[in-house]
Amino acid sequence: MNRQYLFDHYPNVVVTSECFKLHDEIISQIDEGEILVRNHYLSLDPYMRGRMSKAKNYAAGQELNTVMQGGTVGEVVESKHADFKVGDTVICTGGWQLYYRTAPTMDSNHVRKIDVSRIPMSVYLGAAGMPGITAWYGLNKIIKPQSGETLVVSAASGAVGSVVGQLAKQKGCRVIGIAGGPEKCEYVVETLGFDDCIDYKAYPDAETLSHELRQLAPNGVDAYYENVGGYIMDAVLDNLNAFARVAICGLIAGYDGRAIPISNPRAILVARASITGFIISDHMDIWPQALAELAEAVAKGVLIFRESVSVGLESAPDAFIGLLQGHNFGKQLVKLI
Amino acid sequence: MNRQYLFDHYPNVVVTSECFKLHDEIISQIDEGEILVRNHYLSLDPYMRGRMSKAKNYAAGQELNTVMQGGTVGEVVESKHADFKVGDTVICTGGWQLYYRTAPTMDSNHVRKIDVSRIPMSVYLGAAGMPGITAWYGLNKIIKPQSGETLVVSAASGAVGSVVGQLAKQKGCRVIGIAGGPEKCEYVVETLGFDDCIDYKAYPDAETLSHELRQLAPNGVDAYYENVGGYIMDAVLDNLNAFARVAICGLIAGYDGRAIPISNPRAILVARASITGFIISDHMDIWPQALAELAEAVAKGVLIFRESVSVGLESAPDAFIGLLQGHNFGKQLVKLI
């Protein structure tokens, strides 16, 4: 028996549990060339909100009455495919469900075997997975930080931001995080080793946040890794140095359907800044290098990460709604087994 | 006797003639190493508005009670400098005045001799001057257009936009201009040879302008050269293709002190676009190549330009105010002689 969440309703501005519908189905026999994966962990990510919409997006929207899409790690429990055997640990787009039946093809990497001898399975959904690789790409391929530069990263305690800051520190940058609440800020500085972290909740508008950032970065900001958008972005843009680079990875503040403007685009011109949006799935070619570096850093203990794990498939909707509201602390996972 | 305009008052939102004060002074004897230039043409440019402010800018602000800065072309009428003789034609930052006394130095190019044997002097303030080179840089160094791509340029009939579109056409792009009013649009298509031109005055908001652009570019926009900002930018961002490049040269709509937001920054992420602000004075190294190409194209008649000439120094304030309001048609000059 498989249990899964279907996409049941488009959100009316805010995502609620009514958007999802629990569904049970009998797992039929797999065919030649197929495998059956028992999902152990489901990854919840902000991008999912973007797909729950009919608006133009970089990926196809989630169709109503289909299984909610999402990355999973799990174990092969049945196989009629030459490259996979029962007991293999794999990462795949297994969706919001307990079992994932699929026919892996050589020209796609939607099912990949992972090595769990040195790092836990769940890390392949976080620091050594899509979020970590997203951090790696935006930092190394867009921002290209130089030693001595000042880098700011928003959502600094999150799955992407925490990796961005640690990698930038290793490259000799001064790193300032932005996160929500004193607990997250303390973690960012004390545990992750960032130089500073601003609690944006203490600075409720662009002006006060910009002023605080100026105190911490009196020589300005050379690079900005954006995970959030909204007035946080306005405040950072206001402090950019000449020729600053901004990588836009996510704009979570706009995911609830409200467009959050950039209030002063003139800052882009004044700073002669470059702002580049990117989506990691466009850059699969860097995956092997990035994954190898990140997994090695995790195994060695020089890349620290944190997970926020909710237990049971049935907890997925609330965990996702909490993620959109910033309630998670670290990579949001759902433990399915 | 020299006559000049001093910067007299910071604008209170909108620039008025009260911002400027006419001043007469006796021209004293030039010293060893100096020259005296009789300015023939003064260039009026949107960037001047940005300097009439105490706000952070890429260049030092214009100081009160100093001669209004500006580019000029003119003739050397006195010289005590080995490299310049009476009768030389030069381009310099001669300011809003009839005569410019200066000590040219070898390590600066604030006075350069120009060749007026093939093209008129005034062109060095326009198509073969700072505006033309600004067009050349943003197109060739930021946008890097490929044959077959669709490029949009705002302020298409202006000194920069007209060059952008003609150069892009020569590179095999489909070029859509945006300009204000049917007369400018007709000029852009019929005289400059753009494929299409949208009269933004007929589309008073981002939604209607975006819709019209979609009719003309059903396959989307690959490149955008931005001279304007505001809702025009919103409308174009809405139509960007994946990996589109946007060069921000100017944001004239914000020059009157009002910040014009980018309403939907999510478009940058969805299109994985790169937006780069630039200031041509950062890139003096490309000047010789760009100037040579542009002057040659003008001399051959394959780069068409238009000038809006007001006559007499006393006409400068009104001409500048008109420029900020979009009343000029082509490169705005003041004829001083």
Side-chain angles (χ1 to χ4, degrees):
Chain A
M1 205 69 174
N2 186 22
R3 171 161 279 201
Q4 56 195 193
Y5 270 108
L6 306 180
F7 182 35
D8 198 44
H9 286 103
Y10 285 102
N12 178 15
V13 184
V14 174
V15 174
T16 63
S17 56
E18 280 77 54
C19 297
F20 312 99
K21 186 172 70 180
L22 208 54
H23 177 73
D24 289 325
E25 62 166 21
I26 292 165
I27 304 167
S28 50
Q29 275 299 112
I30 63 171
D31 293 330
E32 207 52 49
E34 290 190 330
I35 61 173
L36 184 70
V37 177
R38 175 77 168 102
N39 290 327
H40 285 223
Y41 287 93
L42 164 67
S43 174
L44 295 178
D45 299 278
Y47 76 81
M48 293 168 170
R49 175 63 183 89
R51 297 195 181 171
M52 294 169 67
S53 162
K54 294 172 196 167
K56 181 180 174 181
N57 207 328
Y58 42 84
Q62 172 86 43
E63 301 268 325
L64 284 179
N65 219 30
T66 61
V67 179
M68 281 295 297
Q69 299 162 29
T72 59
V73 286
E75 188 185 342
V76 176
V77 292
E78 283 187 51
S79 176
K80 292 188 179 177
H81 189 292
D83 296 337
F84 296 88
K85 62 178 194 297
V86 172
D88 280 350
T89 311
V90 295
I91 181 167
C92 52
T93 53
W96 296 30
Q97 58 186 345
L98 301 183
Y99 290 92
Y100 176 49
R101 175 184 167 176
T102 186
T105 53
M106 290 310 289
D107 61 349
S108 99
N109 45 14
H110 76 300
V111 181
R112 283 180 296 125
K113 282 191 259 196
I114 53 179
D115 174 9
V116 293
S117 65
R118 296 180 71 204
I119 60 176
M121 191 191 297
S122 64
V123 180
Y124 287 95
L125 294 175
M130 195 265 286
I133 290 168
T134 300
W136 189 98
Y137 181 85
L139 188 73
N140 289 318
K141 298 297 182 179
I142 295 175
I143 287 175
K144 298 174 184 143
Q146 303 295 310
S147 180
E149 288 192 322
T150 297
L151 177 140
V152 174
V153 54
S154 58
S157 70
V160 175
S162 61
V163 176
V164 170
Q166 291 179 83
L167 296 182
K169 280 300 293 177
Q170 289 166 16
K171 289 182 182 293
C173 292
R174 172 166 164 71
V175 175
I176 301 172
I178 300 174
E183 190 194 4
K184 287 180 180 177
C185 285
E186 188 189 336
Y187 168 75
V188 164
V189 173
E190 300 302 328
T191 305
L192 300 181
F194 290 25
D195 296 286
D196 278 300
C197 189
I198 302 175
D199 174 6
Y200 70 82
K201 292 182 177 173
Y203 304 96
D205 56 37
E207 196 180 346
T208 55
L209 184 61
S210 171
H211 182 264
E212 173 64 9
L213 179 56
R214 198 165 299 128
Q215 308 308 306
L216 296 177
N219 296 322
V221 171
D222 302 299
Y224 181 40
Y225 193 108
E226 174 61 280
N227 289 307
V228 173
Y231 82 84
I232 294 177
M233 186 167 183
D234 286 336
V236 180
L237 291 185
D238 197 32
N239 283 279
L240 292 185
N241 283 333
F243 312 115
R245 291 89 62 206
V246 177
I248 300 189
C249 165
L251 295 169
I252 196 173
Y255 277 5
D256 273 354
R258 297 160 300 161
I260 311 278
I262 296 176
S263 293
N264 182 18
R266 196 146 189 283
I268 303 168
L269 184 56
V270 169
R272 296 86 107 194
S274 278
I275 299 186
T276 304
F278 74 102
I279 307 296
I280 195 59
S281 53
D282 291 327
H283 307 286
M284 296 306 289
D285 54 307
I286 61 101
W287 205 279
Q289 184 193 353
L291 178 60
E293 289 184 23
L294 293 164
E296 180 66 21
V298 169
K300 279 185 174 162
V302 296
L303 184 62
I304 294 163
F305 62 95
R306 181 166 171 148
E307 295 171 344
S308 195
V309 182
S310 74
V311 178
L313 177 68
E314 295 76 5
S315 70
D318 282 350
F320 181 61
I321 292 164
L323 171 74
L324 295 179
Q325 295 169 355
H327 295 169
N328 63 308
F329 188 165
K331 172 62 201 155
Q332 181 66 55
L333 299 172
V334 182
K335 192 171 190 309
L336 299 172
I337 200 165
Chain B
M1 205 68 173
N2 186 23
R3 170 160 279 200
Q4 55 196 195
Y5 270 107
L6 306 180
F7 182 35
D8 198 44
H9 287 102
Y10 285 101
N12 178 14
V13 185
V14 174
V15 174
T16 63
S17 55
E18 280 76 54
C19 297
F20 313 98
K21 186 172 70 179
L22 209 53
H23 177 72
D24 290 326
E25 62 167 19
I26 292 166
I27 304 166
S28 50
Q29 275 300 111
I30 64 171
D31 293 330
E32 206 53 48
E34 290 189 330
I35 61 172
L36 185 69
V37 178
R38 176 76 169 100
N39 289 328
H40 285 222
Y41 288 93
L42 163 67
S43 174
L44 295 177
D45 299 277
Y47 76 81
M48 294 168 169
R49 176 63 185 89
R51 296 195 182 172
M52 295 170 68
S53 162
K54 294 172 197 168
K56 180 180 175 184
N57 207 327
Y58 43 84
Q62 172 87 41
E63 300 267 324
L64 285 179
N65 219 31
T66 60
V67 180
M68 282 295 297
Q69 299 162 28
T72 60
V73 287
E75 188 183 344
V76 176
V77 292
E78 281 187 53
S79 175
K80 291 187 178 177
H81 190 292
D83 296 336
F84 296 89
K85 62 178 195 297
V86 170
D88 280 349
T89 310
V90 295
I91 182 166
C92 51
T93 53
W96 295 30
Q97 57 186 346
L98 301 182
Y99 290 92
Y100 177 49
R101 176 185 165 175
T102 186
T105 54
M106 289 310 289
D107 61 348
S108 98
N109 46 14
H110 75 299
V111 181
R112 283 179 297 125
K113 281 191 260 196
I114 52 179
D115 173 8
V116 293
S117 64
R118 295 179 72 205
I119 60 175
M121 189 190 299
S122 63
V123 180
Y124 287 95
L125 295 175
M130 195 265 286
I133 290 168
T134 299
W136 188 99
Y137 181 85
L139 188 73
N140 289 317
K141 297 296 182 179
I142 295 176
I143 288 176
K144 299 175 184 144
Q146 303 295 312
S147 180
E149 289 192 321
T150 297
L151 177 140
V152 174
V153 53
S154 57
S157 70
V160 175
S162 61
V163 176
V164 169
Q166 291 179 83
L167 295 182
K169 280 299 294 176
Q170 288 166 17
K171 289 182 183 293
C173 293
R174 169 165 166 74
V175 176
I176 301 171
I178 299 174
E183 190 193 4
K184 287 180 179 175
C185 286
E186 187 188 337
Y187 168 75
V188 164
V189 173
E190 300 301 327
T191 304
L192 300 181
F194 290 25
D195 296 286
D196 278 300
C197 190
I198 301 175
D199 174 7
Y200 70 82
K201 292 182 178 174
Y203 303 96
D205 55 38
E207 195 179 346
T208 54
L209 184 61
S210 172
H211 182 265
E212 173 63 10
L213 179 56
R214 198 164 298 130
Q215 308 309 305
L216 297 177
N219 296 321
V221 172
D222 302 299
Y224 181 40
Y225 193 109
E226 174 60 282
N227 289 307
V228 173
Y231 81 84
I232 294 176
M233 187 166 181
D234 286 335
V236 180
L237 292 185
D238 197 31
N239 283 279
L240 292 185
N241 283 334
F243 311 114
R245 292 88 63 205
V246 177
I248 301 188
C249 166
L251 295 170
I252 196 173
Y255 277 5
D256 273 353
R258 297 160 299 160
I260 311 276
I262 295 176
S263 294
N264 182 17
R266 194 145 191 283
I268 302 168
L269 184 56
V270 170
R272 297 87 106 192
S274 279
I275 298 187
T276 304
F278 74 103
I279 307 296
I280 195 59
S281 53
D282 291 326
H283 307 285
M284 296 306 289
D285 54 307
I286 60 100
W287 206 278
Q289 183 193 352
L291 179 60
E293 288 184 24
L294 294 163
E296 180 67 22
V298 170
K300 278 185 175 163
V302 295
L303 184 62
I304 295 163
F305 62 96
R306 181 165 171 150
E307 295 170 343
S308 194
V309 182
S310 74
V311 179
L313 177 67
E314 295 75 5
S315 71
D318 283 350
F320 181 60
I321 292 163
L323 171 74
L324 295 179
Q325 296 170 352
H327 295 167
N328 63 306
F329 188 166
K331 172 63 200 155
Q332 181 65 56
L333 300 172
V334 182
K335 192 172 190 308
L336 300 171
I337 198 165

